[in-house]
Every structure is written in C-alpha cells, then in structure tokens.
C-alpha cells in the first residue's frame, strides 16, 4: 500500500526581478517586477511502505523543492501531496512526529551545544520513551561511531561527523518514514560508505521507508532498488536502478595514479584514453571486463599510488535518458 503519494504536484516560486542602479532600486520597491520559476512541474509518484527510493537529478532539478513539499515545509502551487494519510502542510504538527528529515546542506543540530545535548532536547520534544532512546543511542553509536564525538560542540565537528550526528538526530524518535536530502554531500568514500551502510540497516532491519536525494550514482547503486530521476522540474525516469544503469551505458573509466613516472602499455580489452607521467586513464566496458581483473592486472604491472573507477555523472545519465525519450517521440 502506498504511504506516500504525489499527484500532479507543481511548485512555482515567484521572485522579484531585480533592476540595477538607484532608479532600479526604487522601481523594485514601488513597482516590483516578478518572475516565476517552475521548480516542480506536475510530478506524480507513489512510494510503498518499506521501500528505499533514490531521487536524483542535476543541480536545480527540483529535488529539494519536492522534499520540502513532502515534508510540509512548502505548500504545492497545485496538485496533491498525501503522506501517511496526512497532508504534510495542513497536518504538520501530527505529521512531524512520524517522519525524520535530514538536509545535508544545513544542520539541524544546535550549533553551540554538544551533540548529546541536542539529542536530549529532541528526546524531550518528541517524548521518546527512555528505553527507545537508550536502544537507539546504542545502535547509532555502534554503526555510526558517534561515541567519539558525542560530547563535542556541533560547530566543532568535521563534515562527516556532523552528517552522522544529523542522521542520528533525525532517527531518535523512530520515524516510519525518513527523507534525506543529500546525506552524503562533500563526504569522502569512507564516510559515504558508513552512511550508506547505516541507511541500509535502518531500512532492512526496521522497515523504515526512505527517500534520499543525491547527485551520486553510486549512492543509488549501493543503497536503492528503485530510483526516480528528475530534470528541470519534470520526472524523467521511475524504475529499477539496474534499468537506469543500462540506460547510462556500460563504459567506465579506471584512473590510475602512479608513485613514479610511468609509461603505460596497452591492456587488452581496454583503451588508454589519457596518459601523463603520473596518471593514466583506461576506458573499458563493464559488461565484458571484470573490474577486479583489470585492477589486479594494473596493480601487478605498475607501482600504484591510487586507483579510482569513474562512474558516469548524473548529468550524462540525464542527457542519455532525455535523448532516448526524444528519439522515441
Ligand atoms: N526559495 C526559492 N526561491 C526562488 N527560487 C527557488 C527557491 N528554491 C529553489 N529555487 C529554484 O527552484 C529550482 C529548483 O531548485 P531545488 O533547490 O529544488 O533544486 P535541487 O534539485 O535540489 O538542486 P541541487 O542539486 O542544486 O540541490 C532552481 O531553479 C532554484 O533556483
Ligand atoms: Mg537540493
């Protein structure tokens, strides 16, 4: 059964069109000119209880606006938003106790308080029973490693620590549904993996429904079964992650950084597309070449400092889906 339904939802922002100079500033005051930005255009989708859904799109696609509509921060210009049988905006008071929200770009922790004090305040605000609180703290300490910095002020935390604390704060009251807007933004691979593992655990073990936005295709591939892609406010794709991966093509790049100046030899099944003394880039087909095979071949031959697999960017995936749709029309 769908617990979240967005039907033909639209959100248009009206902004004042600024005019330059002193006379412009006066005009802005007395006869302001407005411009409408259609951030979300007739988007419809439904999410079932227990699903973990990725929501991706390039900058300015309308992801955060959609999350704000779903969390009741914004009212839709038209269309309908129904979550957990409630209208997020109208039933805000009843609604917020049942959901968790993380905005990766902005912390919800009290900046000048130790993280543990924020947790304690949230416990009181949401009326979390002591047993639930203790059980959750133990689990969060365990998987997110909060114990190392729980007594530090929020403003002293590193980005990765802050994000982990924010995610824990959003889950303290056992919400049924969690919205995460860019929970891995700016984090290194280790921190990203920790957060991905935690989200998967909460979804699998507790059946918490999750909708998370990201720019990172790997976030989607590692955590979600289903993914929704939007661009310029409109829905482009709603389906399986593997379906999206096949649309994005199977070519990948392996970037190799060397410890010493190196001249590479060709490796069969790959194409050497870029080479300078300390770095080489091999392009290969993921369908016909196993990544671990290629990595071990390269590692055997050369003195390696680092290796990275480059996935296609969300921008290139969106472009591919868009041109496939145009071709069908
Ligand atoms: N408060 C606002 N007032 C006016 N326009 C806004 C406002 N918030 C967002 N927009 C505009 O709406 C569009 C969608 O923005 P939104 O923040 O939803 O995109 P996004 O997909 O979250 O992008 P990003 O990946 O950069 O976070 C953009 O064109 C943006 O400039
Ligand atoms: Mg955003």
């Amino acid at each position: 059964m769908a617990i979240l339904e967005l039907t033909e939802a639209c959100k248009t922002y009206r902004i004042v069109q600024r005019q330059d100079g002193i006379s412009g500033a006066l005009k802005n005051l007395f006869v302001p000119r407005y411009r409408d930005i259609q951030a979300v255009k007739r988007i419809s989708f439904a999410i079932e209880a227990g699903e973990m859904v990725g929501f991706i799109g390039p900058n300015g696609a309308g992801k955060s606006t959609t999350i704000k509509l779903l969390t009741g921060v914004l009212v839709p210009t038209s269309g309908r938003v129904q979550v957990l049988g409630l209208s997020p905006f109208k039933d805000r008071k009843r609604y917020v106790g049942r959901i968790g929200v993380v905005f990766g770009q902005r912390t919800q922790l009290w900046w000048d308080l130790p993280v543990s004090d924020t947790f304690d305040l949230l416990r009181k605000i949401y009326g979390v029973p002591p047993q639930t609180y203790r059980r959750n703290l133990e689990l969060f300490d365990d998987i997110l490693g909060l114990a190392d910095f729980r007594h530090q002020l929020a403003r002293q935390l590193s980005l990765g620590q802050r994000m982990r604390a924010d995610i824990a704060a959003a889950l303290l009251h056992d919400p049924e549904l969690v919205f995460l807007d860019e929970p891995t933004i700016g984090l290194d691979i280790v921190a990203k993996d920790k957060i991905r593992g935690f989200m998967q655990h909460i979804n699998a073990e507790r059946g918490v429904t999750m909708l998370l936005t990201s720019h990172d295709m790997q976030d989607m591939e590692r955590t979600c079964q289903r993914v929704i892609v939007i661009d310029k406010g409109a829905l482009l794709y709603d389906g399986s992650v593997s379906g999206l991966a096949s649309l994005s093509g199977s070519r990948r790049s392996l970037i190799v950084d060397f410890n010493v100046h190196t001249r590479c030899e060709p490796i069969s099944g790959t194409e050497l597309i870029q080479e300078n003394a300390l770095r080489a880039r091999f392009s290969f087909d993921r369908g016909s070449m196993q990544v671990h095979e290629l990595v071990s071949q390269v590692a055997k031959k050369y003195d390696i400092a680092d290796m990275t697999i480059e996935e296609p960017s969300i921008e290139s995936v969106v472009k591919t889906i868009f041109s496939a749709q145009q071709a069908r029309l």
Side-chain angles (χ1 to χ4, degrees):
M1 197 189 75
I3 58 163
L4 178 157
E5 264 179 291
L6 208 63
T7 318
E8 301 267 313
C10 295
K11 179 70 198 175
T12 303
Y13 294 107
R14 171 155 285 194
I15 55 163
V16 175
Q17 186 102 38
R18 301 252 158 235
Q19 299 169 70
D20 293 338
I22 296 174
S23 69
L26 282 172
K27 275 189 200 151
N28 286 339
L29 267 180
F30 294 108
V31 230
R33 256 197 257 153
Y34 294 102
R35 186 164 71 91
D36 285 346
I37 298 175
Q38 280 188 288
V40 170
K41 299 175 199 162
R42 301 179 65 179
I43 288 192
S44 303
F45 61 82
I47 294 179
E48 310 265 318
E51 273 195 282
M52 180 141 173
V53 180
F55 195 42
I56 54 174
N59 285 128
K63 303 180 295 293
S64 297
T65 303
T66 309
I67 298 283
K68 286 175 187 163
L69 293 175
L70 290 167
T71 50
V73 176
L74 292 175
V75 201
T77 311
S78 64
R80 186 161 169 268
V81 184
Q82 184 87 1
V83 192
L84 300 170
L86 302 169
S87 154
F89 185 72
K90 285 193 206 134
D91 306 311
R92 203 159 155 69
K93 258 199 177 152
R94 268 194 294 161
Y95 182 59
V96 288
R98 298 177 61 186
I99 61 162
V101 188
V102 176
F103 285 104
Q105 312 248 22
R106 178 156 49 86
T107 184
Q108 295 179 76
L109 305 169
W110 274 270
W111 205 232
D112 289 313
L113 291 185
V115 174
S116 49
D117 286 11
T118 294
F119 287 178
D120 206 41
L121 279 167
L122 290 170
R123 177 179 68 80
K124 288 178 187 143
I125 291 171
Y126 288 112
V128 184
Q131 240 179 329
T132 309
Y133 184 68
R134 230 174 301 123
R135 183 199 51 168
N136 279 348
L137 273 191
E138 267 170 33
L139 176 76
F140 301 163
D141 271 352
D142 214 30
I143 311 186
L144 291 171
L146 300 183
D148 303 341
F149 54 85
R150 193 143 40 88
H151 299 289
Q152 259 169 261
L153 302 183
R155 65 179 152 80
Q156 293 170 341
L157 301 181
S158 75
L159 180 61
Q161 291 171 333
R162 202 270 286 157
M163 206 76 97
R164 281 184 270 160
D166 253 308
I167 292 174
L171 285 159
L172 275 176
H173 58 294
D174 274 351
E176 296 154 63
L177 171 62
V178 180
F179 299 96
L180 302 122
D181 191 8
E182 311 258 11
T184 59
I185 194 164
L187 303 188
D188 66 24
I189 303 238
V190 179
K192 274 187 183 180
D193 267 351
K194 210 165 230 168
I195 286 177
R196 287 168 183 153
F198 181 70
M199 292 188 299
Q200 275 172 320
H201 177 91
I202 294 291
N203 172 252
E205 299 296 315
R206 298 190 171 183
V208 174
T209 312
M210 294 198 174
L211 179 66
L212 73 121
T213 83
S214 180
H215 285 108
D216 189 332
M217 285 290 288
Q218 282 199 355
D219 273 349
M220 301 296 131
E221 287 180 2
R222 301 248 170 109
T223 51
C224 303
Q225 299 91 39
R226 174 179 165 199
V227 56
I228 296 171
V229 183
I230 63 166
D231 185 31
K232 300 188 180 77
L235 199 138
L236 273 189
Y237 175 89
D238 181 353
S240 68
V241 175
S242 48
L244 182 69
S246 65
L247 276 173
S248 65
S250 54
R251 284 225 70 90
R252 297 289 181 273
S253 292
L254 173 74
I255 301 160
V256 187
D257 288 315
F258 305 109
N259 281 320
V260 290
H261 284 206
T262 304
R263 256 207 96 66
C264 281
E265 287 157 26
I267 297 177
S268 80
T270 74
E271 192 187 340
L272 185 58
I273 50 175
Q274 185 201 344
E275 186 185 25
N276 62 36
L278 288 171
R279 171 172 275 203
R281 185 188 292 258
F282 297 92
S283 161
F284 65 100
D285 190 289
R286 205 169 58 163
S288 53
M289 179 105 196
Q290 296 282 339
V291 173
H292 64 87
E293 237 172 60
L294 174 59
V295 166
S296 77
Q297 273 197 53
V298 174
K300 255 188 242 156
K301 272 191 177 165
Y302 306 109
D303 183 1
I304 306 295
D306 196 14
M307 281 197 266
T308 331
I309 303 283
E310 199 173 61
E311 298 285 329
S313 67
I314 179 62
E315 284 75 12
S316 71
V317 174
V318 163
K319 227 184 254 168
T320 319
I321 301 174
F322 189 73
S323 15
Q325 283 182 346
Q326 293 295 305
R328 256 186 270 132
L329 291 177

Short mmCIF file of all heavy atoms in Angstrom, two decimals, residues 247-274:
data_model
loop_
_atom_site.label_atom_id
_atom_site.label_comp_id
_atom_site.label_asym_id
_atom_site.label_seq_id
_atom_site.Cartn_x
_atom_site.Cartn_y
_atom_site.Cartn_z
N LEU A 247 20.61 2.16 -19.04
CA LEU A 247 20.42 3.36 -19.86
C LEU A 247 21.68 4.22 -19.91
O LEU A 247 21.95 4.92 -20.88
CB LEU A 247 19.29 4.22 -19.28
CG LEU A 247 17.88 3.85 -19.67
CD1 LEU A 247 16.88 4.67 -18.90
CD2 LEU A 247 17.68 4.08 -21.17
N SER A 248 22.43 4.17 -18.79
CA SER A 248 23.60 5.04 -18.73
C SER A 248 24.81 4.43 -19.44
O SER A 248 25.89 4.99 -19.45
CB SER A 248 23.95 5.35 -17.27
OG SER A 248 24.34 4.18 -16.61
N GLY A 249 24.60 3.25 -20.07
CA GLY A 249 25.69 2.64 -20.83
C GLY A 249 26.63 1.89 -19.90
O GLY A 249 26.56 2.02 -18.68
N SER A 250 27.51 1.10 -20.49
CA SER A 250 28.34 0.26 -19.63
C SER A 250 29.81 0.66 -19.68
O SER A 250 30.67 -0.03 -19.15
CB SER A 250 28.18 -1.21 -20.03
OG SER A 250 28.45 -1.32 -21.40
N ARG A 251 30.14 1.80 -20.32
CA ARG A 251 31.55 2.21 -20.35
C ARG A 251 31.92 2.91 -19.06
O ARG A 251 31.17 3.73 -18.54
CB ARG A 251 31.83 3.14 -21.54
CG ARG A 251 31.89 2.36 -22.81
CD ARG A 251 33.00 2.63 -23.78
NE ARG A 251 34.37 2.30 -23.56
CZ ARG A 251 34.95 1.15 -23.90
NH1 ARG A 251 34.26 0.14 -24.36
NH2 ARG A 251 36.24 0.99 -23.77
N ARG A 252 33.07 2.52 -18.52
CA ARG A 252 33.57 3.14 -17.30
C ARG A 252 35.04 3.49 -17.52
O ARG A 252 35.67 2.98 -18.43
CB ARG A 252 33.48 2.15 -16.11
CG ARG A 252 32.08 1.73 -15.74
CD ARG A 252 31.30 2.86 -15.11
NE ARG A 252 29.96 2.48 -14.74
CZ ARG A 252 28.89 2.51 -15.54
NH1 ARG A 252 29.03 2.90 -16.80
NH2 ARG A 252 27.70 2.16 -15.11
N SER A 253 35.56 4.33 -16.64
CA SER A 253 36.99 4.64 -16.72
C SER A 253 37.69 4.19 -15.45
O SER A 253 37.13 4.33 -14.36
CB SER A 253 37.21 6.15 -16.84
OG SER A 253 36.73 6.61 -18.07
N LEU A 254 38.90 3.67 -15.63
CA LEU A 254 39.75 3.38 -14.46
C LEU A 254 40.87 4.41 -14.47
O LEU A 254 41.62 4.51 -15.45
CB LEU A 254 40.34 1.96 -14.56
CG LEU A 254 41.37 1.64 -13.47
CD1 LEU A 254 40.69 1.40 -12.12
CD2 LEU A 254 42.19 0.39 -13.83
N ILE A 255 40.96 5.18 -13.39
CA ILE A 255 42.01 6.20 -13.32
C ILE A 255 43.09 5.68 -12.39
O ILE A 255 42.80 5.27 -11.26
CB ILE A 255 41.44 7.53 -12.78
CG1 ILE A 255 40.33 8.00 -13.72
CG2 ILE A 255 42.53 8.59 -12.68
CD1 ILE A 255 39.40 8.99 -13.10
N VAL A 256 44.32 5.67 -12.88
CA VAL A 256 45.42 5.11 -12.09
C VAL A 256 46.44 6.21 -11.81
O VAL A 256 46.91 6.89 -12.72
CB VAL A 256 46.13 3.97 -12.88
CG1 VAL A 256 47.15 3.27 -11.99
CG2 VAL A 256 45.12 2.98 -13.41
N ASP A 257 46.77 6.41 -10.54
CA ASP A 257 47.84 7.35 -10.17
C ASP A 257 49.07 6.54 -9.77
O ASP A 257 48.97 5.60 -8.99
CB ASP A 257 47.39 8.23 -9.00
CG ASP A 257 46.34 9.24 -9.45
OD1 ASP A 257 46.55 9.86 -10.51
OD2 ASP A 257 45.31 9.38 -8.77
N PHE A 258 50.23 6.94 -10.35
CA PHE A 258 51.46 6.18 -10.10
C PHE A 258 52.32 6.88 -9.07
O PHE A 258 52.26 8.11 -8.91
CB PHE A 258 52.26 6.05 -11.41
CG PHE A 258 51.47 5.45 -12.53
CD1 PHE A 258 51.05 6.23 -13.60
CD2 PHE A 258 51.13 4.10 -12.51
CE1 PHE A 258 50.31 5.67 -14.64
CE2 PHE A 258 50.40 3.54 -13.55
CZ PHE A 258 49.98 4.32 -14.61
N ASN A 259 53.15 6.09 -8.40
CA ASN A 259 54.12 6.66 -7.45
C ASN A 259 55.32 7.26 -8.16
O ASN A 259 55.95 8.17 -7.66
CB ASN A 259 54.60 5.57 -6.48
CG ASN A 259 53.58 5.33 -5.39
OD1 ASN A 259 52.98 6.27 -4.87
ND2 ASN A 259 53.38 4.07 -5.04
N VAL A 260 55.66 6.68 -9.31
CA VAL A 260 56.82 7.16 -10.08
C VAL A 260 56.40 7.41 -11.53
O VAL A 260 55.35 6.91 -11.96
CB VAL A 260 57.95 6.09 -10.09
CG1 VAL A 260 58.58 5.96 -8.72
CG2 VAL A 260 57.41 4.75 -10.57
N HIS A 261 57.20 8.19 -12.27
CA HIS A 261 56.87 8.43 -13.68
C HIS A 261 56.77 7.10 -14.42
O HIS A 261 57.65 6.25 -14.31
CB HIS A 261 57.96 9.31 -14.32
CG HIS A 261 57.83 10.73 -13.89
ND1 HIS A 261 58.29 11.79 -14.64
CD2 HIS A 261 57.27 11.28 -12.79
CE1 HIS A 261 58.01 12.91 -14.00
NE2 HIS A 261 57.41 12.63 -12.87
N THR A 262 55.66 6.92 -15.15
CA THR A 262 55.39 5.61 -15.75
C THR A 262 54.90 5.77 -17.19
O THR A 262 54.12 6.69 -17.47
CB THR A 262 54.29 4.87 -14.94
OG1 THR A 262 54.72 4.80 -13.59
CG2 THR A 262 54.00 3.49 -15.48
N ARG A 263 55.37 4.87 -18.06
CA ARG A 263 54.79 4.80 -19.42
C ARG A 263 53.97 3.53 -19.49
O ARG A 263 54.48 2.45 -19.27
CB ARG A 263 55.93 4.73 -20.47
CG ARG A 263 56.13 6.05 -21.18
CD ARG A 263 56.72 5.90 -22.56
NE ARG A 263 55.71 5.90 -23.61
CZ ARG A 263 54.95 6.94 -23.92
NH1 ARG A 263 55.06 8.07 -23.25
NH2 ARG A 263 54.07 6.87 -24.90
N CYS A 264 52.68 3.70 -19.78
CA CYS A 264 51.81 2.53 -19.76
C CYS A 264 51.83 1.78 -21.08
O CYS A 264 51.99 2.38 -22.14
CB CYS A 264 50.37 2.97 -19.54
SG CYS A 264 50.05 3.32 -17.86
N GLU A 265 51.64 0.45 -20.96
CA GLU A 265 51.43 -0.35 -22.17
C GLU A 265 49.93 -0.60 -22.29
O GLU A 265 49.23 -0.60 -21.27
CB GLU A 265 52.13 -1.71 -22.02
CG GLU A 265 53.62 -1.61 -22.11
CD GLU A 265 54.26 -2.80 -21.40
OE1 GLU A 265 53.62 -3.87 -21.29
OE2 GLU A 265 55.40 -2.64 -20.95
N PRO A 266 49.47 -0.85 -23.52
CA PRO A 266 48.04 -1.13 -23.67
C PRO A 266 47.64 -2.40 -22.91
O PRO A 266 48.45 -3.32 -22.80
CB PRO A 266 47.84 -1.30 -25.17
CG PRO A 266 49.14 -0.99 -25.80
CD PRO A 266 50.20 -0.90 -24.77
N ILE A 267 46.44 -2.44 -22.41
CA ILE A 267 45.93 -3.65 -21.75
C ILE A 267 44.76 -4.13 -22.60
O ILE A 267 43.87 -3.34 -22.93
CB ILE A 267 45.44 -3.34 -20.32
CG1 ILE A 267 46.62 -2.87 -19.47
CG2 ILE A 267 44.74 -4.53 -19.69
CD1 ILE A 267 46.25 -2.48 -18.06
N SER A 268 44.76 -5.43 -22.94
CA SER A 268 43.73 -5.88 -23.88
C SER A 268 42.34 -5.75 -23.24
O SER A 268 42.16 -5.97 -22.05
CB SER A 268 44.00 -7.31 -24.35
OG SER A 268 43.56 -8.20 -23.38
N GLY A 269 41.39 -5.35 -24.07
CA GLY A 269 40.02 -5.14 -23.58
C GLY A 269 39.79 -3.74 -23.05
O GLY A 269 38.70 -3.41 -22.60
N THR A 270 40.86 -2.91 -23.06
CA THR A 270 40.70 -1.53 -22.59
C THR A 270 41.27 -0.57 -23.63
O THR A 270 42.01 -0.98 -24.52
CB THR A 270 41.46 -1.26 -21.27
OG1 THR A 270 42.86 -1.17 -21.56
CG2 THR A 270 41.20 -2.32 -20.23
N GLU A 271 40.94 0.67 -23.45
CA GLU A 271 41.50 1.69 -24.34
C GLU A 271 42.18 2.71 -23.44
O GLU A 271 41.58 3.17 -22.45
CB GLU A 271 40.34 2.34 -25.09
CG GLU A 271 40.76 3.21 -26.23
CD GLU A 271 39.54 3.94 -26.82
OE1 GLU A 271 38.40 3.48 -26.59
OE2 GLU A 271 39.75 4.97 -27.44
N LEU A 272 43.44 3.02 -23.75
CA LEU A 272 44.17 4.00 -22.95
C LEU A 272 43.78 5.39 -23.48
O LEU A 272 44.21 5.79 -24.56
CB LEU A 272 45.67 3.75 -23.11
CG LEU A 272 46.61 4.59 -22.26
CD1 LEU A 272 46.32 4.45 -20.77
CD2 LEU A 272 48.06 4.21 -22.54
N ILE A 273 42.94 6.12 -22.73
CA ILE A 273 42.41 7.35 -23.32
C ILE A 273 43.13 8.61 -22.83
O ILE A 273 42.95 9.68 -23.38
CB ILE A 273 40.89 7.51 -23.09
CG1 ILE A 273 40.52 7.31 -21.62
CG2 ILE A 273 40.10 6.60 -23.98
CD1 ILE A 273 39.06 7.58 -21.33
N GLN A 274 43.94 8.47 -21.81
CA GLN A 274 44.68 9.65 -21.35
C GLN A 274 45.90 9.15 -20.60
O GLN A 274 45.83 8.18 -19.86
CB GLN A 274 43.78 10.45 -20.39
CG GLN A 274 44.36 11.76 -19.94
CD GLN A 274 43.67 12.24 -18.65
OE1 GLN A 274 42.60 11.77 -18.27
NE2 GLN A 274 44.32 13.13 -17.95
#
